[in-house]
Structure formats: C-alpha cells, structure tokens
C-alpha cells in the first residue's frame, strides 16, 4: 500500500482527492492535513465522509510528514509549498502539488502573475508539469509534480493536437472558459454565496487570470514558438464543470494534390486521433457533437468537439472536464499512478454521473 | 457473470442502473431496452456513456429476453410489467420491477390509487417488497421483486425502528417529503422544464400521491395495526435527492423506574441502533445532526437524524437518500445482489460526491 | 415627500427596501446606513443600483438620523435597535424595525430564544406587530412597528382564518417551511456558499428556530388560548421564496342540520374569504391549486391553497411568499404606507415575475 | 389608452410582455392570443397572473384583431407573421414582430439560415429593425417593426460604438454568448428539462445559429462594409440573462501627436459615451467592472464593460441584458412607446431585482 498524506484536505480539491483515494486499491491515507480544522473530525467537515473517514484533521508539518508517507499531495494556497519545500523533504517522499508554485518555468512570470515572491525557485527546474497525456514519461521519473490548473488542463488539451500539427495560427487563439463555482474554493467569501452566484453569469479576471501564462507556456512548447493568447474565465451557477470554447484561425496546409488549403474535417479529426486515440481519459466526440460538462461530471474525462467555420476560416474547439477531477484531484491521482508505476486508470474508472 | 436485461434503460432510473452495473464485477448487460429509442445508440441518448456503452437500444420483448438473461430490471411505467408478465417468464428469469405494479398487496388499493386495472394480480402474492434492510431473507428466495418507490424507501426507513418499537403514535405520523426533479422522469413535460422548476418550490399530489398507500402498508406491518398517514411531496430545484421530514407524537413507555415517560434521546437512539447498527447502507447521524441530501448524493446511503421536541411531545425524524440510487437503481442492484447470493455491497460502495 | 432613513441598507432585506422605495411616489431615501460599507458607493455594493443610487453608505447614528427623517427602517441584526432606542428618538421619528427586537411581548421569551439580554424592554409594550392584514388599525397609530419575520408572516397568514374560526385543533398544528437562501442574509458564511446550498436540501434549527415563539404568540391571540406548535425550516437551493406547508387536525363543528361534522371545503373556503376577500395582498387560490413560490416572486403577495384529507381528518394548508418582500421589505413598506396614511398598495403593485 | 393585442401571449416572451404592459399607464390589453391554450384562462397558464388577468386565451386571427387594436405584438414562431400579413392589416394597425420574419433585409439570407420559404417578402423593405438606440427615428415612422433577437440586441449594442468609430478590425470580431434557459421558450422539449440543463453548460448551434446573420447585417451598416463574425451561443443553468463576451483586434488610430497607436482606455470610453451617454437603457460601467446578468435581471438595461489587453492588442467587450426584457418584451414596449410618441421609458423604469 502506498502511504499518502494530504495537506489541505478540507478544501474542495482536497476533499475530492480523499473521495477518489477511498476507491483506490493501493492507497492508504495517513494524514488529513488542514490548517483550518485542526483536531476536528474530518467527517464533521464533510458529512459525506461519515462512516468512511474516522480520522481527525492534523496541522501541516511537511518535514515530519515526508518521513511517514510515500507521497504528499499539497492542495494548498499559492506560495505554501514554495515556502516550506526542502531537498530533504524531496529525498524522503514524492510531492504532487495542486497549487501553482512549480507550474511556470520562469520565476519572473510566476512572481508577476501571482504577485508573490517565490521562496524556493531552485526546485522549479526539476518540477514536472503533470499534464499526464503530454508529459507521461517525464512524470514517471519525477520527485516533484506540478499538477496543472483546472482551466489550463481543459484549455491545453482541447487545442493541443492542432497547435502541435501547425493547423492553427496560434496567436489568434482565444479561450473563452466557463467554470462551476467549486473552482473558487470553499472559502467563505461574499462573491461565492449562493445568492450571488445563482441566476447569474459574469466574466472575471479578464486579461489578468493567472492560468493565462500557464496555458501560454505549455502551448508554446507544442508550437515551438512563444505564443500569447486571450483567456477569459466566467463563473457559472453550477457546482462542477469547466467548458472551454476556443477560437483560432486555421492555417492553410499542403493538401494531397499539392495545393495549399484549409485542413478538412477529416484532417483535423485525424490530428486529434493521432494524439488521443489511445488516451483513455480523452474522448473526442463524434462529428457535430458539442461537449457538455454534465457528460463528464464525476469522471476524469476530457470531452472534446470541434466545428469548422468556412465562412470565417476559423475553427471552434470545445473541451469539457470536471474541474475537481481531471482539473485537480483526478489528474493528481493519475500522476500518482504514473509515479508509482500503477495502472494509470486505477481509482479513476469513474463513469460520469447523469443527471 | 450474471446476464442482465434492462427494460426502460433510457429513463433516469434505467440510466442510473446502467451506470451502477458498469461498475459491478459480476454483471454483463445484454439488453438495453427502450421503446422510445429503438435502434439508437445508447451513448447518443446518454452522452456520459460514450466509450462505455457501444450497444444500440432494443425494443422490449420480455418473453424473449427472459430466455437470454438471468435477471430483468423493468424501469417502466406503471402497468407495463403487469400487462406482460407470465409464469413462463418467471420460470426463465428473475425480475426486479422498479415500477409499482407489485408493491401493494391489495389489488383494489393499487387500482384505486393508480387508476389502472391490474392485468396480472395472480403474481402479487408471491412478489417480495424489495426493501432490503427489512425483507432481506424473503428477497433471497424470490423470483419477483417489487422494488420500493423512492419516497417510500426514505419515508419508511426513517420511521421504521420507532414504529416497530412502539415509540410513536403511528396515526399521528406526517411525512413532509422533498424531492429533486429527476424523480419526475425524463419525459418532456412542461412542469419539468428548467424555467418552471428552477427558483421554485411547490407541493404536489397533496393527499393523493401514490406512494402514500405503499408507506402505510409497510409501516402497518411494522406496527402490527392498520395505519393512515399524511404524505406530502414537494418538488425542489435540484437534480437528485429526497429529504423526508417526519412528525409523530411520542408515546409514553415504561421507564426503568417503573414510571411511564416519553422515550429519551438515548432510548430512541438505541432503537435505531437495534435495527440499523449493522446496516451498511444506513447511517444514523450523531446527536443534533440533520441529514442533507448532498451528503448522500451519488451513493446508496440513507442518512437519518432526529430531534425530540419536549414542548410538543413530538419527535421530528429526518431521512435523506439519493432518489435514483437508494430510491431506485441502487436498491435494485442491492436486491439483485441478494437474489444471486453476491456480497450485498457489490457495485454499491459509492462514496457520496460533494459538492 | 416622506424622508426615509435605512439602517442596514446593504443586507438583502435592506437592499430590497431600497429597490421598492425607488418605485414609491412619495418617498425620498436620505440615509443609506451600513456599518460594513461606510463611505463606499452604494452602487458598488449592489451593481443593480448603478444609475439609480448615487449615494455613499453612511454609518448608523440613530439619534442624529431621527432628527432628519420621518421614518427609519432598521434592517439590522437582533439586539441593535433595542440597544440604541430612546424615547427622544421615538418622539422625532417613526421606526419600522425589521429585526425581532420588539416582536415578542414577553421579554423572557425573547431573551430565551434569542439568547440575548433585551436592552430596552420599556418599548416592547407600545410596539405594534406589523402584520398589516391582522393589525391594520393599530399600526396606523403606532410609533414603533415590529415588522414580522419572513417565516412567521407566511406561517401565520396561511393558518389564521382557520385558527380564528376554531376550525382546527391548534395544538396539532405543524408548520414545515421551506425557504430560499436570501433568508440567510448576505454574510460570508460557509453554509451559504453556492456549492454548499446548490443541489442540496436540509432542515435546520429543528425545534429551536426563533420564529417559533413568534408564530405561537400571534396564533395564540387568534385562538384565544396559549398554543404550542412544531415549526421546521428548510433551506432550499433558490434565491427567494418561502413555502409553508401546514398540517392540523380539523375540529368538528356544528353543521346546518345541527349535527357535528368536519368543516367542508366550502366552509373552509368561506372562512378564508371572510378574512381575506378584501385583502389585496392575499390571493386564496382556486380549489385544488397548490401555491408555488415562483408565482409570487418579486411581489408582495401571499398565495394560499389548502386540501382536506378525509382519510386522516387533517387539513393541509399551504402558503407562499417572496421572503424579501412580503416577508421583509414589502411588508415594511406596507406598514409605512399605513403609518403615513398613504394608499396601502403604493409602491407595492408589483406583478410577480415569471420565470 | 392604446389598445393592444398579443399573438403568442403564452410563451415566455409573450408573458413578459403581459407583465410589463400591466404596469404601463397608457395601455389596455384586448386580446390574449394563444394557439395552445384557446379558451383557457390566462391565469391558469401563468399562475403569477392570478388576480391580474381575468381574460381567457383566444385563437389568433390577425385580420380581425387588426381592426380592434392599435398595435399587435406577435411573439410567435418564425414564419407565422410572414404567412398571414397583408397590406390591409398594416393599414389597420401597427405590428411589432418579436419573431425573425422581417429582421433580415435579404430574403435569401433569411431562407437559408431559417430554412423556411418567406411568404411575404414584399414587406421586408418597409420593416424597421427595432433596435431603439440605433434606429430611433425610423422606428417612429414605421408600421411594421422587426423586434431584434435577444442575442443580437446584446451582441450589437456591446460592440456598436467601436465598430462605428472604426476602433476595431470588424472581421476579427468573435461573440461568445451565454444565455439563460428562458431563451429556449416554453416548449416541452427534452433538452430544456430541469435535469438536462441544471449543473450543465454547453455550446449549441456552433457556426449555424440564426442570430449570426442578424448581428452581421446590423454591424455591417455601422461598419459600412460587409462583415463576417463568429457567434457561439451557450446554454446556462439560469432562467434569465444573456452575457455576450466579445473579442476583437484593436485598430491603430491617429493619436493627437499625429502618430498611429492603439486607442487608449479613455478614447474607447469616449466612443461609448458618444453613443450611449444619453441612452437611459444603456449603462456603461466604471473602469474595470465586468457586467453580471444578475445586475440587469428584471430590467430593460444593457450593462457594458470592456478591458483592453495590451499583450494581444485585443479588446474584450462584455454586455449583459435580461433576455426576456431588453432582449424581447421590454424592447418591444420601448418600440411601442416610440411608435405612439409616448415617453420612451414608460412602463420600463424597472429597477433590476437582486438577488
């Protein structure tokens, strides 16, 4: 059994991690960390866990914890892990960090977008960006995994094959994303009250959302050039789910007859299949279908659809995930499976729940 | 592997059955019956099933199906099964009926409340009411299971120990129940449109809801007297969940000092524990806690809490279930496990999903 | 023009008061009081008020305010008004208090249920309980109005005629109430977060909710005897609306032929009509109809329906209001209209909004 | 009093028209047309109208109706009005058509996007596109008003000043729109059921939505060139509200120092003010604010905000409306006020309702 510690186990992502790990055959949770609920019974914080978890919440103590467990998940605010991580800790355990501390390779970019001083930039280089479908092999070797953000997972995977294949003009890429409210966390903040969110939709963080440089960095690797995009998140009155609607101008490519022309449906579909055909967690939908967040709720799937607009020469790509699963805890477990050479799907063969 | 056929697999309860059975180790679904979607791909009817189910929907043909499978689930409108059931079918297969056709022992009561002629009353006597926690042993021997209604499962289990122990005056029992909208089915009816249900709550079927005689019959067995109750369902703007709030006057019982007095918290708690301590699927909450439907969503649990009101001499009992699971598909699978001598929890160890 | 001051103008009830008063022909709001948002623009706190309110929030200073305005609405936490009210203030202005400070005539009852020391019990006697349909004449003469609670307004008006006429056994009365989340206020508390409320229903404050003694006191006046009831509130995932489902045993009454019998539909209907026929804000629905909160949303109406259950000898009464209007701000304005001899409907002829 | 007839009064837009007109000082509704509810009491179809409307629904008979009323609103399916309109009708009455029949000036475009043969193209030329803020003077002279679509109203007004001033490259315009479910109408269709919409978001009609050519046509007039855009609507789990998030590349303009440069915040703000400063129903938000649909719910307002992204050279414009009011019934009444030389705001001074 793999011994697991969770720091930040009482946030929504931490709780989802607990829920998923309870169904994982090879795992034992040893430490339910929570600064806010020290000494409280975990099942009092999350009533759904009654009879499943009898543990009490513990304070965080990464150094001590690292000696006791094989892997630590940190579902903590930005800056926490960077503030406490040491080489000794990494020699004792593996870490899967659900925060943004090690996602961006350039410390200046991190410090600018997060408005935080990075306390341990020395670990940035070795951290592996845990987008499993893209970085699988590197993840297997890592000590420190930077688990991707929810918006970024969805945004990147939806566009990745077309960026990689050079089918779209990457600098025309616009990501208009919509998220359920669990993405905002369990903090008691006025804008997240039921009456403020319900019957309402709004954009927020327009041009300034912190997932922007993360998407840009990863897609730049794929494009092999530095790209800049627009990313606009919206808050939707639902608990779970992210839908990313992405727009980009198609590039003319060489067709079989030698002429230059826009890629056809079949060519684009083939590009998706090239990268995703064997990816269990990515479902490229049939022609004409648009993904719905409800069809992936409760699962680790990414559903992807697309539509070509010949009138404008653009493609509209759409991706849907459950933000707490593929966008956070599920992908973290997928990373853990890779790290420990377990079947990648273990604990994650969740059928989406409808309605 | 147990071979399963589902008639009515494209309703919400049928679809939930599919979802649960996909995670069941000993089951293979052989027949996705659906009158409305004959020859359509099941995954086109339920997008969440994409990549899980590749089958096409078939018409219903109970006689033929009975020869091919070990058990048939009928998640069909009232009257369907009663109209087609034969002795030969029951000799070939077992049937778990999610409709009301065989729940009520008196055919007149059925015909009055359902306003339907019962076409095969000869099977009523042998049908076993599939409330697993109460009728476990009888279920194991049955050929025909009448799977309980959603409201009834919740209403009965919440009050059962106190009725059984004679702690409450059964004729004062009032059940005020609240249900999510999936209980109304997937039929395209105006009152179930999003804009009609959302931001709204209403009672319906007041004094006339068909689950009333079902609750009365089962609680009468427990009380060993004929009882009459008030049952009032309400439609709540949420997908899943039933909460039953039940009111009854406490009866004075003999106390240890010989005097007559109202049962204490401890005595009532002991009554619940007597019947439910070993029931995996029933969680009696800690003192002072009120169940919430969200804490059982996605699971087969019944959460129960209660509060004594000394001012009025009444007890308020509260029970919560996921209407599509313990109130329909989950309990049906629990019944199947009993019928086939499988571990009762197989396929049903679902951790409730929050949020 | 009547000069109005609002203390607590940035809570949901206070904001609704602002909204309603903006459409009132004879009113000018002079003071937007808010301890939490002093010096902030009101329209920054409530974006809907942009272009309507250009004022900035002020601290509360009841003494000073009393000299400047004709009437003060206090939409404040329990205990605030009792802590600052003086005879001088009441000589300078009228007060409509949306808190509970002066609703209960017995200070001990207040102190017990609210767990608060009452700081100015000397004003309790003169305060008039502002349930307009019942206390209209007394209200007109008052200096200090105790505006009723949301649950109580709905609960009392739904049962009042039958209590008054002696048609029901008042001690069998059970009120099972369901409320939208705006009733919980705009405080940033975890249980009111979107993800906690959405897709969920629960009872709370079972046997201990503070509106219980208020309902009991008012219905006791109507019954001319001291009564004790059960009141159970529930939190519903919607913004606005209260539905009260009320159960009581019918009493046999003398029929025209001299015999004793349960009141008929017509007799009960006549009782409702006797008290409500001329009440603009009470709509007794046609036979068989159940009220829905959506049908009163955005209005000052109380919709009432009922159903007799001959099997159990009980009547089920149902009432629906918009908790922020008839349950708070609307009734407060109705009280103001009475106080200032304005048409009672002024500013309140709001057609319910659907959907 | 202006005599009004409504054809299609039992759809959501028709019902909203009734609600608004009930508060309009100069109007009397003479005809509640509804093919689906002939001879039913209107208040039985819409419970909120109980005590407000005592009329019974009538069949549609445009010819007869035209003789009886001053203006007819047709809130009917596409093709209805085009199929029955005659010169004689237009000589007898004015018509405000909430359907799309006369919105597009080129009959081929209508027939292609709507997949319908236009039955009376002879009236297309004289029909005035009823976007009041843009076409005010023409509307005043019209007999036949084509009331704009909900998405189009929001999409056009949000971008109009920048298109008009040449600040954006119109062919880069992308409109990503999100709508509440009332926009889908009151038809009993499976995709609009509560359980299908709730907890879900999806795009639909991608590249093919019928409001696309309407937006293009109107913005082409403003741009004085033919433009082609991408328009993608999404279905959001809320009753009311449309949010349009619009992306476009800024064009360099001549700056005061003679150089070419991107327009500044102040220049863009000035462009909005130039067109909207005196428009009561358009609220351009303060710098940095993003519109929320909840802030306009229940009102005829359009709230507009924008954000410049210097990194990409794009502007993100956001507009919010209540789809049933400014997007349908409210704008129709605004058009009626213009047609009859009434104050444009009459009946429409609705303060948005929150929460």
């Amino acid at each position: 059994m793999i011994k697991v510690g969770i720091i930040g186990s009482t946030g929504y992502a931490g709780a989802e991690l607990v829920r998923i790990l309870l169904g994982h055959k090879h795992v034992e949770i040893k430490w339910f960390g929570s600064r806010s609920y020290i000494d409280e019974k975990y099942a009092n914080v999350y009533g759904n866990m009654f009879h499943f978890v009898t543990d009490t919440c513990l304070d965080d103590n990464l150094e001590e914890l690292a000696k006791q467990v094989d892997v630590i998940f940190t579902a903590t605010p930005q800056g926490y892990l960077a503030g406490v991580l040491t080489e000794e800790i990494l020699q004792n355990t593996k870490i899967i960090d659900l925060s943004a501390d090690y996602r961006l390779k350039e410390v200046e970019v991190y410090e600018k977008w997060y408005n935080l001083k990075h306390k341990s930039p020395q670990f940035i280089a070795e951290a592996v960006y845990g987008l499993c479908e893209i970085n699988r092999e590197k993840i297997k070797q890592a000590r420190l995994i930077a688990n991707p953000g929810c918006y970024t997972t969805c945004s990147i995977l939806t566009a990745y094959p077309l960026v990689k294949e050079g089918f779209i003009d990457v600098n025309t890429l616009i990501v208009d994303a919509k998220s359920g409210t669990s993405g905002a966390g369990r903090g008691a903040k006025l804008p997240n009250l039921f009456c403020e969110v319900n019957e309402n939709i709004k954009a927020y963080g327009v041009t300034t959302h912190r997932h922007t440089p993360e998407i840009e960095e990863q897609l730049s690797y794929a494009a092999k050039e530095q790209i800049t995009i627009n990313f606009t998140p919206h808050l939707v009155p639902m608990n779970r789910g992210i839908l990313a609607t992405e727009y980009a101008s198609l590039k003319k490519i060489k067709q079989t007859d030698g002429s230059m022309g826009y890629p056809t449906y079949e060519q684009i579909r083939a590009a998706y299949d090239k990268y995703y055909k064997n990816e269990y967690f990515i479902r490229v939908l049939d022609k004409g279908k648009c993904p719905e967040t409800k069809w992936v709720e409760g699962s680790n799937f990414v559903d992807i659809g697309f539509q070509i607009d010949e009138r404008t020469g653009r493609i509209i790509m759409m991706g849907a995930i459950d933000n707490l699963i593929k966008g956070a805890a599920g992908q973290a477990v997928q990373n853990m499976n890779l790290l420990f050479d377990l079947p990648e799907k273990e604990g994650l063969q969740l059928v989406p729940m409808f309605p």
Side-chain angles (χ1 to χ4, degrees), chain A:
Chain A
M1 296 296 270
I2 295 164
K3 295 196 203 91
V4 164
I6 304 174
I7 304 295
S9 67
T10 54
Y12 288 141
E16 189 68 358
L17 205 44
V18 172
R19 191 176 76 90
I20 292 172
L21 292 175
L22 287 172
H24 193 293
K25 273 190 294 210
H26 306 298
V27 157
E28 204 180 351
I29 309 177
K30 306 297 283 184
W31 189 294
F32 292 82
S34 170
R35 243 177 226 189
S36 317
Y37 294 100
I38 299 169
D39 291 339
E40 268 197 61
K41 291 198 135 229
Y42 191 79
N44 280 347
V45 183
Y46 281 101
N48 56 326
M49 292 301 176
F50 188 52
H51 283 194
F52 285 95
V53 180
T54 53
D55 297 62
T56 291
C57 296
L58 301 171
D59 199 354
D60 49 297
N61 181 338
L62 210 65
E63 232 173 288
E64 176 53 33
L65 179 54
K67 296 176 194 155
Q68 300 181 17
V69 298
D70 303 305
V71 59
I72 296 171
F73 294 92
T74 46
T76 43
Q78 323 304 340
Y80 166 80
L81 184 61
V84 296
L85 190 60
T86 63
E87 174 60 28
E88 196 199 338
I89 288 170
L90 280 177
Q91 283 173 2
N92 285 328
T93 194
K94 288 175 185 286
I95 293 187
I96 298 170
D97 179 28
L98 282 78
S99 88
D101 285 2
Y102 299 98
R103 290 181 194 156
L104 299 168
K105 285 299 169 203
E106 292 182 51
V107 69
E108 304 74 30
V109 176
Y110 174 89
E111 295 188 340
K112 181 184 151 213
W113 287 80
Y114 286 87
N115 197 22
L116 261 185
K117 179 89 193 136
H118 199 296
K119 298 274 184 54
S120 54
Q122 68 273 24
F123 299 113
I124 293 179
E126 82 156 290
V128 173
Y129 189 73
L131 193 51
C132 309
E133 283 74 13
I134 311 294
N135 287 342
R136 184 171 286 120
E137 294 313 314
K138 282 192 208 154
I139 291 164
K140 291 182 182 175
Q141 317 302 326
R143 299 191 300 177
L144 172 59
I145 300 288
N147 206 59
C150 51
Y151 281 124
T152 49
T153 296
C154 190
S155 301
I156 295 166
L157 291 175
T158 299
Y160 180 79
L162 304 197
V163 172
K164 192 84 181 170
E165 293 295 296
F167 281 9
I168 57 177
D169 176 352
V170 285
N171 284 305
T172 64
L173 185 64
I174 289 170
V175 179
D176 189 285
K178 298 90 180 167
S179 175
T181 305
S182 59
R186 213 190 193 195
K189 294 176 189 152
L190 191 146
N192 300 335
L193 290 179
F194 182 82
C195 289
E196 307 288 318
V197 172
N198 189 40
E199 287 295 292
N200 198 9
I201 185 165
K202 65 173 176 187
Y204 65 99
V206 182
T207 74
T208 63
H209 193 279
R210 294 157 167 193
H211 285 178
T212 311
E214 195 180 327
I215 302 170
E216 288 175 346
E217 179 176 332
Q218 296 301 322
L219 288 182
S220 292
Y221 297 142
K224 296 192 173 124
E225 60 171 303
Q226 184 64 40
I227 72 173
T228 313
I229 66 159
N230 272 107
F231 170 70
T232 311
H234 297 76
L235 190 66
V236 179
M238 59 185 194
N239 288 346
R240 288 173 180 243
I242 283 178
L243 181 73
T245 312
E246 313 194 6
Y247 302 86
S249 295
L250 288 166
K251 287 204 304 205
K252 289 193 175 156
I253 58 169
K254 201 174 222 171
Q255 299 294 335
T256 43
D257 66 355
S259 70
M260 296 300 285
Y262 288 123
T264 61
Y265 172 83
E266 288 70 25
Q267 288 172 322
I268 289 167
R269 175 76 209 201
Y272 277 108
D273 287 344
K274 174 173 169 188
Y275 294 91
Y276 295 154
K277 204 180 175 68
N278 298 315
E279 291 296 342
Y280 177 77
F281 292 120
I282 300 185
R283 304 191 296 189
V284 181
L285 304 184
D286 291 341
K287 191 173 182 176
K289 300 253 180 202
C290 295
E292 310 190 12
T293 58
K294 198 75 184 117
W295 299 129
V296 295
E297 189 177 325
S299 82
N300 200 48
F301 289 106
V302 188
D303 276 9
I304 297 174
F306 64 89
Q307 197 76 29
I308 298 166
D309 190 356
E310 292 180 359
R311 300 169 66 250
T312 60
R314 291 196 194 98
I315 185 165
I316 297 98
M317 300 158 277
M318 295 157 281
I321 63 167
D322 183 320
N323 59 305
L324 291 179
I325 305 187
K326 185 61 180 174
Q331 184 147 261
V333 172
Q334 197 181 348
N335 274 306
M336 182 194 75
N337 289 339
L338 290 172
L339 283 178
F340 291 89
D341 207 20
L342 298 167
E344 194 170 332
K345 294 186 266 182
E346 174 53 38
L348 293 169
Q349 285 175 291
L350 308 158
V351 188
M353 188 165 96
F354 183 88

